[in-house]
Amino acid sequence: MPPMNIIYISLEGNTRSFLTRMQGYAKQQHSISEDRPLLELKEVSDQTLPADETEPFFAFVPTYLNGGNGIDSGFTEIMTNALGEYIAYNDNAKQCVGVVGSGNKNFNEQYCLTARKYARDFDAPFLADYELRGTSQDIERIYTILAKRWSEINA
């Protein structure tokens, strides 16, 4: 099975930390069974030049909002716009096969709001969420969800 492609943005290192640990978990799982996919990670930042994505990918996005409560008074996404612009470039959104969000549960209704917005805007399923840097259980849970989705699209 081909490696799972993941495109992400990491502003404070939480998403990068989570995905690096999940990449290690994927290597461990792949060594047990080659049917368990490895991960290919691509970090997007404000300095990333737009490029055409030709392979399916999952998007990982943290939530950073400014203003509003995210429900009836709206919200303004801040700091993660580079990832949204990258996915919106040309036909990249057509390759997005799922979105995973992270955030801080203290923000209640705003928790993972950016990821849910990406899922809606890019017509991709919202697959999972985790808080801050995530736990080992989150890594196992989300890897299993992604691997299942990856096998469906690579069948």
XYZ file of all heavy atoms in Angstrom, residues 53-137:
663
model
N -0.845 19.274 -6.176
C -0.829 17.965 -5.524
C -1.476 16.969 -6.475
O -2.614 17.170 -6.908
C -1.577 18.010 -4.188
C -0.874 18.831 -3.130
C 0.502 18.293 -2.769
O 0.690 17.059 -2.766
O 1.401 19.109 -2.490
N -0.761 15.915 -6.796
C -1.259 14.942 -7.763
C -1.683 13.629 -7.107
O -2.182 12.743 -7.789
C -0.189 14.654 -8.839
O 0.987 14.166 -8.185
C 0.142 15.926 -9.621
N -1.459 13.517 -5.805
C -1.826 12.313 -5.061
C -2.795 12.680 -3.945
O -2.739 13.786 -3.406
C -0.577 11.654 -4.448
C 0.472 11.245 -5.448
C 0.032 10.090 -6.321
O -0.760 9.248 -5.835
O 0.463 10.024 -7.482
N -3.671 11.769 -3.550
C -4.580 12.037 -2.435
C -3.796 12.343 -1.151
O -2.693 11.827 -0.949
C -5.366 10.736 -2.281
C -5.215 10.024 -3.579
C -3.881 10.432 -4.118
N -4.386 13.191 -0.306
C -3.741 13.547 0.957
C -4.792 13.844 2.023
O -5.947 14.139 1.725
C -2.810 14.755 0.788
C -3.526 16.037 0.437
C -4.047 16.877 1.424
C -3.681 16.413 -0.889
C -4.696 18.056 1.098
C -4.338 17.597 -1.233
C -4.850 18.414 -0.233
N -4.339 13.754 3.267
C -5.115 14.195 4.428
C -4.559 15.543 4.857
O -3.348 15.778 4.776
C -4.968 13.216 5.592
C -5.509 11.847 5.316
C -4.652 10.787 5.090
C -6.879 11.612 5.272
C -5.131 9.510 4.841
C -7.372 10.341 5.010
C -6.499 9.288 4.798
N -5.428 16.426 5.331
C -5.006 17.727 5.845
C -5.152 17.739 7.362
O -6.182 17.315 7.891
C -5.851 18.833 5.231
N -4.123 18.211 8.044
C -4.144 18.386 9.497
C -4.043 19.877 9.781
O -3.105 20.535 9.313
C -2.964 17.675 10.155
C -3.196 16.221 10.443
C -3.404 15.316 9.419
C -3.204 15.753 11.746
C -3.601 13.965 9.685
C -3.407 14.408 12.031
C -3.618 13.505 10.991
N -5.000 20.388 10.547
C -5.014 21.822 10.811
C -5.406 22.112 12.259
O -6.408 21.599 12.746
C -5.948 22.562 9.811
C -7.380 22.096 9.917
C -5.865 24.066 9.980
N -4.597 22.941 12.937
C -4.978 23.397 14.274
C -5.958 24.561 14.155
O -6.167 25.092 13.059
C -3.650 23.854 14.877
C -2.852 24.314 13.691
C -3.274 23.418 12.547
N -6.543 24.949 15.265
C -7.501 26.053 15.263
C -6.911 27.261 15.971
O -6.509 27.165 17.132
C -8.809 25.639 15.951
O -9.372 24.550 15.222
C -9.810 26.779 15.968
N -6.835 28.364 15.242
C -6.474 29.661 15.800
C -7.506 30.635 15.268
O -7.594 30.861 14.057
C -5.078 30.101 15.338
C -3.971 29.261 15.898
C -3.500 28.150 15.222
C -3.400 29.588 17.122
C -2.481 27.373 15.741
C -2.379 28.814 17.655
C -1.931 27.716 16.964
O -0.918 26.949 17.482
N -8.303 31.207 16.160
C -9.382 32.096 15.735
C -9.238 33.450 16.411
O -8.666 33.574 17.490
C -10.742 31.490 16.086
C -11.027 30.101 15.514
C -12.347 29.579 16.052
C -11.048 30.146 14.009
N -9.826 34.431 15.771
C -9.820 35.784 16.306
C -11.231 36.336 16.196
O -11.756 36.463 15.099
C -8.842 36.653 15.504
C -8.735 38.054 16.048
O -8.991 38.293 17.214
N -8.331 38.969 15.180
N -11.856 36.606 17.315
C -13.174 37.224 17.309
C -14.297 36.239 17.079
O -14.112 35.155 16.544
N -15.463 36.592 17.545
C -16.650 35.768 17.378
C -16.615 34.553 18.281
O -15.605 34.226 18.894
N -17.766 33.898 18.367
C -17.830 32.692 19.186
C -17.871 31.430 18.330
O -18.014 30.336 18.842
C -19.028 32.738 20.142
C -20.365 32.768 19.412
O -20.433 32.558 18.204
N -21.418 33.049 20.144
N -17.792 31.608 17.022
C -17.756 30.466 16.130
C -19.113 29.889 15.798
O -19.200 28.951 15.018
N -20.153 30.430 16.385
C -21.489 29.900 16.138
C -22.350 30.972 15.477
O -22.543 30.952 14.272
C -22.147 29.415 17.450
C -21.247 28.384 18.124
C -23.523 28.821 17.192
C -21.616 28.071 19.527
N -22.839 31.906 16.272
C -23.746 32.910 15.703
C -23.077 34.246 15.436
O -23.619 35.070 14.728
C -24.978 33.099 16.598
C -24.616 33.394 18.039
O -23.455 33.707 18.313
O -25.512 33.303 18.890
N -21.902 34.478 15.980
C -21.236 35.751 15.719
C -19.998 35.569 14.845
O -19.152 36.444 14.781
C -20.864 36.440 17.041
O -19.950 35.652 17.776
N -19.917 34.430 14.187
C -18.855 34.186 13.217
C -17.497 33.996 13.850
O -17.356 33.873 15.059
N -16.485 33.957 12.995
C -15.107 33.836 13.457
C -14.197 34.255 12.323
O -14.587 34.273 11.160
C -14.778 32.409 13.908
C -14.772 31.398 12.792
C -13.602 31.110 12.113
C -15.928 30.741 12.428
C -13.581 30.181 11.086
C -15.918 29.804 11.404
C -14.742 29.525 10.730
N -13.000 34.617 12.687
C -11.983 34.946 11.712
C -10.812 34.008 11.941
O -10.220 33.987 13.019
C -11.522 36.410 11.865
O -12.647 37.260 11.721
C -10.479 36.762 10.823
N -10.517 33.232 10.940
C -9.378 32.315 11.015
C -8.106 33.136 10.941
O -7.982 34.041 10.123
C -9.446 31.331 9.856
C -8.306 30.372 9.804
C -8.351 29.489 8.573
O -9.306 29.554 7.805
O -7.389 28.748 8.402
N -7.171 32.835 11.821
C -5.887 33.512 11.767
C -4.775 32.480 11.766
O -4.931 31.382 12.265
C -5.696 34.502 12.949
C -5.802 33.775 14.287
C -6.681 35.641 12.871
C -5.419 34.617 15.498
N -3.690 32.820 11.178
C -2.437 32.077 11.242
C -2.403 30.785 10.425
O -1.328 30.343 10.068
C -2.042 31.807 12.694
C -1.890 33.092 13.490
S -1.768 32.840 15.257
C -0.095 32.261 15.411
N -3.493 30.136 10.135
C -3.443 28.888 9.366
C -3.846 29.112 7.905
O -4.022 28.154 7.161
C -4.366 27.820 9.982
O -5.704 28.309 10.000
C -3.935 27.465 11.387
N -3.974 30.360 7.506
C -4.432 30.664 6.152
C -3.540 30.077 5.067
O -4.032 29.735 3.998
C -4.567 32.177 5.962
C -5.695 32.741 6.798
O -6.712 32.098 7.005
N -5.494 33.946 7.305
N -2.240 29.947 5.322
C -1.330 29.402 4.304
C -1.758 27.998 3.891
O -1.706 27.657 2.704
C 0.102 29.387 4.833
N -2.205 27.190 4.842
C -2.653 25.834 4.503
C -3.935 25.891 3.679
O -4.061 25.192 2.671
C -2.862 24.989 5.761
C -3.329 23.556 5.506
C -2.304 22.768 4.697
C -3.623 22.851 6.822
N -4.875 26.717 4.076
C -6.120 26.848 3.316
C -5.872 27.322 1.896
O -6.470 26.816 0.946
N -4.982 28.269 1.739
C -4.651 28.768 0.400
C -3.955 27.691 -0.430
O -4.198 27.578 -1.626
C -3.774 30.018 0.519
C -4.526 31.203 1.096
C -3.616 32.340 1.547
O -2.367 32.223 1.407
O -4.151 33.327 2.072
N -3.098 26.904 0.223
C -2.405 25.826 -0.478
C -3.399 24.782 -0.979
O -3.325 24.339 -2.128
C -1.361 25.180 0.445
C -0.493 24.177 -0.268
C 0.692 24.568 -0.876
C -0.861 22.837 -0.347
C 1.488 23.646 -1.550
C -0.072 21.913 -1.014
C 1.095 22.328 -1.616
O 1.868 21.420 -2.288
N -4.329 24.397 -0.135
C -5.323 23.395 -0.541
C -6.240 23.958 -1.624
O -6.633 23.243 -2.546
C -6.132 22.901 0.675
C -5.213 22.162 1.654
C -7.276 21.986 0.232
C -5.866 21.821 2.981
N -6.552 25.245 -1.544
C -7.443 25.873 -2.532
C -6.752 26.094 -3.886
O -7.425 26.313 -4.900
C -7.957 27.210 -1.992
N -5.434 26.017 -3.930
C -4.680 26.259 -5.159
C -5.035 25.234 -6.229
O -5.032 24.017 -5.993
C -3.179 26.205 -4.849
C -2.292 26.433 -6.043
C -2.111 27.705 -6.568
C -1.636 25.376 -6.642
C -1.292 27.911 -7.656
C -0.807 25.570 -7.738
C -0.638 26.838 -8.240
O 0.175 27.043 -9.331
N -5.340 25.730 -7.429
C -5.704 24.885 -8.572
C -6.670 23.780 -8.160
O -7.720 24.072 -7.620
C -4.455 24.324 -9.260
C -3.752 25.371 -10.105
O -4.302 26.433 -10.377
N -2.537 25.089 -10.523
N -6.325 22.524 -8.416
C -7.231 21.407 -8.110
C -6.822 20.633 -6.852
O -7.243 19.494 -6.665
C -7.287 20.438 -9.304
C -8.040 21.020 -10.483
O -8.939 21.854 -10.269
O -7.730 20.637 -11.622
N -6.010 21.216 -5.997
C -5.538 20.496 -4.809
C -6.673 20.001 -3.926
O -6.593 18.902 -3.369
C -4.577 21.363 -3.989
C -3.224 21.516 -4.651
O -2.919 20.847 -5.639
N -2.407 22.398 -4.117
N -7.725 20.771 -3.797
C -8.837 20.365 -2.922
C -9.444 19.039 -3.371
O -9.933 18.267 -2.529
C -9.904 21.456 -2.870
N -9.391 18.761 -4.666
C -9.942 17.493 -5.171
C -9.150 16.294 -4.656
O -9.669 15.180 -4.628
C -9.958 17.490 -6.701
C -10.954 18.453 -7.288
C -10.922 18.431 -8.796
C -11.883 19.447 -9.383
N -11.774 19.507 -10.840
N -7.903 16.508 -4.253
C -7.060 15.426 -3.742
C -7.195 15.251 -2.227
O -6.699 14.272 -1.676
C -5.589 15.679 -4.097
C -5.305 15.692 -5.576
C -5.451 14.318 -6.218
O -5.635 13.307 -5.564
N -5.405 14.278 -7.535
N -7.844 16.195 -1.565
C -7.991 16.123 -0.107
C -9.066 15.087 0.235
O -10.228 15.257 -0.099
C -8.354 17.480 0.469
S -8.416 17.500 2.267
N -8.654 14.015 0.914
C -9.571 12.908 1.199
C -10.014 12.877 2.656
O -10.722 11.953 3.063
C -8.947 11.550 0.794
C -8.761 11.488 -0.718
C -7.644 11.290 1.523
N -9.629 13.878 3.411
C -10.070 13.956 4.796
C -9.314 15.028 5.554
O -8.193 15.395 5.189
N -9.962 15.534 6.602
C -9.391 16.599 7.423
C -9.382 16.138 8.876
O -10.359 15.562 9.359
C -10.204 17.902 7.279
C -9.624 19.010 8.146
C -10.281 18.344 5.818
N -8.269 16.412 9.556
C -8.137 16.140 10.987
C -7.832 17.469 11.666
O -6.992 18.239 11.193
C -7.015 15.122 11.266
C -6.829 14.921 12.768
C -7.321 13.798 10.576
N -8.521 17.730 12.767
C -8.346 18.994 13.468
C -7.785 18.821 14.858
O -7.922 17.766 15.475
N -7.169 19.876 15.327
C -6.688 19.915 16.706
C -7.001 21.281 17.288
O -7.290 22.230 16.568
C -5.192 19.634 16.771
O -4.466 20.647 16.102
N -6.932 21.344 18.594
C -7.200 22.595 19.276
C -7.214 22.385 20.771
O -6.738 21.377 21.282
N -7.806 23.348 21.440
C -7.898 23.325 22.889
C -9.369 23.210 23.273
O -10.170 24.074 22.915
C -7.288 24.612 23.448
C -7.181 24.612 24.939
O -8.018 24.035 25.640
N -6.155 25.282 25.450
N -9.733 22.171 23.980
C -11.130 21.950 24.351
C -11.683 23.035 25.257
O -12.900 23.168 25.394
C -11.311 20.571 24.974
C -11.159 19.458 23.965
C -11.426 18.096 24.563
C -11.293 17.025 23.486
N -11.504 15.682 24.010
N -10.806 23.852 25.852
C -11.276 24.983 26.664
C -12.055 25.994 25.827
O -12.782 26.812 26.372
C -10.100 25.698 27.339
C -9.510 24.895 28.470
O -10.147 24.007 29.015
N -8.272 25.207 28.816
N -11.886 25.943 24.511
C -12.572 26.887 23.636
C -13.955 26.409 23.218
O -14.579 26.996 22.338
C -11.703 27.228 22.427
C -10.423 27.925 22.806
C -9.222 27.533 22.269
C -10.421 28.967 23.724
C -8.035 28.163 22.617
C -9.252 29.608 24.082
C -8.051 29.201 23.533
N -14.427 25.345 23.844
C -15.800 24.855 23.677
C -16.192 24.704 22.219
O -15.624 23.903 21.515
C -16.778 25.742 24.463
C -16.457 25.762 25.934
O -16.168 24.719 26.515
N -16.453 26.929 26.542
N -17.171 25.464 21.756
C -17.702 25.326 20.396
C -16.668 25.662 19.325
O -16.827 25.272 18.180
C -18.947 26.191 20.199
C -20.132 25.764 21.034
C -20.627 24.373 20.696
O -20.558 23.975 19.518
O -21.072 23.668 21.610
N -15.629 26.391 19.689
C -14.599 26.744 18.709
C -13.562 25.640 18.533
O -12.728 25.712 17.642
C -13.919 28.048 19.102
C -14.838 29.237 18.968
C -14.127 30.535 19.279
O -13.067 30.559 19.883
N -14.717 31.628 18.856
N -13.634 24.602 19.373
C -12.694 23.489 19.282
C -12.784 22.851 17.890
O -13.848 22.437 17.455
C -13.006 22.460 20.376
C -12.200 21.192 20.312
C -10.843 21.203 20.593
C -12.788 19.994 19.958
C -10.101 20.036 20.536
C -12.053 18.820 19.901
C -10.701 18.853 20.185
O -9.970 17.703 20.121
N -11.679 22.825 17.186
C -11.556 22.236 15.831
C -12.448 22.914 14.788
O -12.739 22.326 13.746
C -11.803 20.734 15.867
S -10.535 19.846 16.774
N -12.838 24.130 15.054
C -13.708 24.844 14.114
C -13.036 25.055 12.759
O -13.683 24.934 11.717
C -14.141 26.182 14.720
C -15.336 26.858 14.098
C -16.570 25.957 14.163
C -15.619 28.171 14.812
N -11.737 25.332 12.755
C -11.030 25.544 11.485
C -11.059 24.273 10.639
O -11.322 24.326 9.436
C -9.589 26.005 11.735
O -9.617 27.200 12.527
C -8.873 26.291 10.433
N -10.811 23.139 11.259
C -10.828 21.875 10.510
C -12.219 21.585 9.954
O -12.359 21.110 8.827
C -10.355 20.732 11.396
N -13.230 21.856 10.732
C -14.605 21.639 10.243
C -14.909 22.566 9.067
O -15.582 22.168 8.113
C -15.603 21.822 11.378
C -15.466 20.750 12.443
C -16.465 20.953 13.591
N -16.094 20.210 14.765
C -16.230 18.901 14.927
N -16.741 18.174 13.963
N -15.861 18.310 16.045
N -14.407 23.790 9.132
C -14.579 24.735 8.024
C -13.842 24.225 6.779
O -14.384 24.268 5.678
C -14.056 26.115 8.430
C -14.144 27.168 7.340
C -13.509 28.470 7.816
C -13.575 29.551 6.779
N -12.835 29.268 5.561
N -12.619 23.739 6.949
C -11.872 23.196 5.816
C -12.624 22.017 5.195
O -12.717 21.908 3.973
C -10.484 22.733 6.247
C -9.449 23.831 6.353
C -9.776 25.122 6.753
C -8.122 23.568 6.078
C -8.814 26.106 6.858
C -7.148 24.549 6.180
C -7.496 25.812 6.571
O -6.540 26.784 6.666
N -13.134 21.148 6.037
C -13.872 19.983 5.532
C -15.057 20.439 4.682
O -15.291 19.906 3.592
C -14.333 19.108 6.690
N -15.778 21.423 5.164
C -16.938 21.936 4.421
C -16.485 22.632 3.133
O -16.994 22.349 2.056
C -17.734 22.898 5.309
C -18.989 23.446 4.639
C -19.719 24.470 5.494
N -18.905 25.670 5.645
C -18.405 26.111 6.797
N -18.619 25.469 7.916
N -17.676 27.211 6.834
N -15.519 23.535 3.248
C -15.077 24.320 2.090
C -14.441 23.458 1.002
O -14.561 23.766 -0.179
C -14.084 25.401 2.513
C -14.725 26.511 3.331
O -15.973 26.529 3.469
O -13.963 27.356 3.851
N -13.738 22.401 1.395
C -13.028 21.570 0.424
C -13.742 20.253 0.136
O -13.189 19.372 -0.523
C -11.588 21.325 0.891
C -10.806 22.599 1.060
C -10.149 22.865 2.256
C -10.744 23.540 0.053
C -9.431 24.049 2.427
C -10.035 24.728 0.211
C -9.376 24.978 1.402
N -14.968 20.126 0.619
C -15.807 18.959 0.363
C -15.071 17.655 0.692
O -15.009 16.723 -0.100
C -16.285 18.949 -1.090
C -17.421 17.968 -1.312
O -18.179 17.703 -0.356
O -17.536 17.458 -2.439
N -14.487 17.634 1.889
C -13.756 16.461 2.366
C -14.319 16.091 3.740
O -14.747 16.958 4.488
C -12.270 16.765 2.468
N -14.301 14.837 4.100
C -14.848 14.464 5.405
C -13.959 14.924 6.563
O -12.734 14.903 6.460
C -14.907 12.935 5.344
C -13.926 12.546 4.306
C -13.868 13.671 3.322
N -14.610 15.351 7.630
C -13.912 15.626 8.885
C -13.767 14.271 9.562
O -14.757 13.645 9.930
C -14.719 16.599 9.745
C -14.078 16.889 11.071
C -13.075 17.831 11.177
C -14.470 16.211 12.211
C -12.471 18.099 12.398
C -13.884 16.467 13.428
C -12.873 17.415 13.531
N -12.543 13.797 9.718
C -12.310 12.419 10.152
C -12.057 12.257 11.642
O -12.445 11.243 12.221
C -11.130 11.823 9.381
C -11.315 11.711 7.873
C -10.027 11.261 7.213
C -12.458 10.760 7.552
N -11.365 13.214 12.246
C -10.985 13.024 13.641
C -10.478 14.335 14.233
O -10.223 15.302 13.511
C -9.892 11.960 13.746
N -10.330 14.312 15.564
C -9.775 15.456 16.265
C -8.942 14.968 17.439
O -9.072 13.834 17.888
C -10.891 16.381 16.754
C -11.787 15.709 17.777
O -11.437 15.749 18.972
O -12.820 15.144 17.389
N -8.085 15.848 17.909
C -7.294 15.595 19.114
C -6.964 16.935 19.745
O -6.992 17.974 19.082
C -6.020 14.793 18.798
C -5.054 15.507 17.885
C -3.979 16.233 18.397
C -5.214 15.467 16.502
C -3.101 16.902 17.557
C -4.337 16.117 15.663
C -3.279 16.829 16.198
O -2.411 17.488 15.363
N -6.662 16.893 21.029
C -6.389 18.129 21.746
C -4.883 18.373 21.863
O -4.113 17.456 22.192
C -7.012 18.079 23.140
C -6.917 19.406 23.873
C -7.667 19.419 25.194
O -7.925 18.349 25.759
O -7.975 20.526 25.654
N -4.493 19.607 21.569
C -3.126 20.086 21.713
C -2.100 19.181 21.032
O -2.135 19.051 19.823
C -2.810 20.319 23.195
C -3.762 21.321 23.879
C -3.500 21.383 25.373
C -3.659 22.696 23.248
N -1.204 18.526 21.773
C -0.210 17.637 21.154
C -0.692 16.208 21.045
O -0.001 15.353 20.517
C 1.111 17.682 21.930
C 1.865 18.958 21.700
C 3.214 18.937 22.373
N 3.864 20.218 22.126
C 4.963 20.363 21.410
N 5.555 19.325 20.890
N 5.480 21.545 21.233
N -1.885 15.924 21.540
C -2.443 14.588 21.448
C -1.765 13.602 22.383
O -0.701 13.860 22.927
N -2.415 12.464 22.549
C -1.903 11.391 23.397
C -1.525 10.192 22.530
O -1.840 10.148 21.334
C -2.984 10.946 24.400
O -4.069 10.373 23.652
C -3.480 12.107 25.251
N -0.890 9.210 23.152
C -0.581 7.964 22.431
C -1.856 7.297 21.938
O -1.890 6.747 20.834
C 0.190 7.008 23.345
O 1.420 7.569 23.696
N -2.913 7.371 22.734
C -4.195 6.796 22.328
C -4.763 7.542 21.113
O -5.345 6.924 20.223
C -5.206 6.827 23.487
C -4.869 5.909 24.634
C -3.833 6.503 25.608
O -3.486 7.679 25.544
N -3.324 5.663 26.491
